[in-house]
Amino acid sequence: MSVTAPANNAPLTFWPPGNLTRVPYHLYQEPAVLDAEQQRIFEGATWNYLCLEAELPQPGGYRTTFLGRMPVVVARDSDGEVYAFENRCSHRGALIVLDDGGTARDFQCVYHAWRYDRQGNLKGIAFQNGVNGEGGMDPAFCMKSHGPRKLRTSVFCGLVFGSLSDDVPDLEDYLGPEIARGISRVLHKPVQILGRFKQTLPNNWKLYVENVRDTYHASLLHVFFTTFRLNRLSQKGGVVVSECGGNHISFSAIDPIAENGEDYKTEELRSEKDDFKLEDATLLKGIDEFGDGVTLQILSVFPGFVLAQIQNTIAVRQVLPEGLETTALNWVYLGFQDDTPELRTMRHKQSNLIGPAGFVSMEDGAVGGFVQRGIASAGAQEAIVEMGGDSVRSQSSRTTEASVRGFWKAYRFHMGADS
């Protein structure tokens, strides 16, 4: 990925250049940093996941979403193209669309009935010419010049991304070839939405994004993974980090030889429970539906998109900052339109692993809050991100924080810290 650095932003001086193994805790605590992230990252030269193309199957279909903290409408017009624009009436700033999605011929603000088409163009002003020859807008008022901000949109494997930047490269260049292959490996045919929900996390958005990329923690934090041998660092796997650092894949496959290793026994881990049993052991069975033996693939795209395949569960996650210590995590569970009944049943059963109360993801939802609380009075201190060295590169080991350092490399670039 090649991205032009933010030219109009002064370099940030809050972080010594070059050091990615130490992360200042105040980055999770300062309102000015959150505001700068909105301007420089989310509204900057990045592609932000907006929704699934499957959520807009017909002309008139629309979804409301966010670009960072900016509310956005995504709609398919009668020409078949997908458009996105700021969900803000150009008159007084009210939301134009209030619900999550549906179908519409056009959109009308409830406040003063200003009307917009599916591409975000201002098309109508209530009583524009006044009443009985009095009032109304100035005749020189130009509706074409007064509309909400429009986003560039691009679709890859059914994922709709948007950007406010003219400088961001094409989406496939932004992803890079390895990340693009990782997406197309999973989303290789028409999907079907199985369900969705929103989770509110009690921590800064960056703590969750770090957690997604943190392959080191997976079998140390997650009791279910370790106890039932679904994910262990001793298994086959690795980490792929894009050249820019911002995008990553971690993957693992069941390794029968590793299952009998002594590595975990000698560590005496909290996450390994010899006395835990399952009433229904079929939860552990899965189908190698991608033909490569990979049972877990977590993929992220900077700044806040995640595609996860865990066993036969497939989900996309959208990570959004709501406040300094509040993050919205939007989940959509997926299957494929040609799923067999048996595979669909398997997906539903394994979905007990994932989500706010899932056997695995519940712990991810909690641990960010533990960090946020732990660093409450440590703003002048730093986190250590040194597992696996100090590099930002792909590795065959998952006992590494290379992809976490990759996130911070991209973060520093977009925030202007390395200008």
Side-chain angles (χ1 to χ4, degrees), residues 16 114 121 124 143 159 193 208 211 226 250 323 397:
W114 285 34
N121 300 306
M143 288 197 290
L159 304 171
I193 295 170
Y208 186 80
N211 175 272
T226 307
S250 61
S397 170

Side-chain angles (χ1 to χ4, degrees), residues 91-105:
H91 178 214
R92 299 289 295 278
L95 292 171
I96 301 169
V97 183
L98 302 179
D99 56 7
D100 292 333
T103 58
R105 185 181 61 185

Side-chain angles (χ1 to χ4, degrees), residues 116-165:
Y116 301 84
D117 66 17
R118 296 165 182 163
Q119 300 182 25
N121 300 306
L122 176 59
K123 287 296 187 180
I125 297 176
F127 300 112
Q128 181 175 5
N129 299 318
V131 177
N132 297 324
E134 299 290 337
M137 299 291 287
D138 189 298
F141 183 82
C142 178
M143 288 197 290
K144 287 185 178 180
S145 302
H146 293 84
R149 289 180 285 181
K150 295 181 180 179
L151 282 66
R152 290 174 61 189
T153 60
S154 187
V155 180
F156 183 76
C157 288
L159 304 171
V160 180
F161 287 81
S163 178
L164 278 174
S165 172

Side-chain angles (χ1 to χ4, degrees), residues 228-282:
F228 297 105
R229 292 172 167 73
L230 292 179
N231 189 314
R232 292 187 167 208
L233 293 171
S234 52
Q235 293 172 343
K236 295 178 181 176
V239 176
V240 176
V241 186
S242 65
E243 182 180 351
C244 69
N247 311 325
H248 104 288
I249 301 171
S250 61
F251 63 96
S252 64
I254 296 295
D255 185 346
I257 297 176
E259 289 186 13
N260 298 321
E262 297 295 320
D263 295 333
Y264 275 71
K265 290 182 180 178
T266 57
E267 294 288 346
E268 299 181 355
L269 300 175
R270 172 203 67 88
S271 56
E272 187 169 34
K273 307 289 187 184
D274 291 336
D275 56 338
F276 275 21
K277 307 294 180 187
L278 288 173
E279 289 290 334
D280 180 5
T282 62

Side-chain angles (χ1 to χ4, degrees), residues 350-368:
Q350 292 178 352
S351 67
N352 288 290
L353 300 173
I354 313 302
F359 296 141
V360 174
S361 296
M362 171 180 61
E363 293 151 328
D364 289 324
V367 77

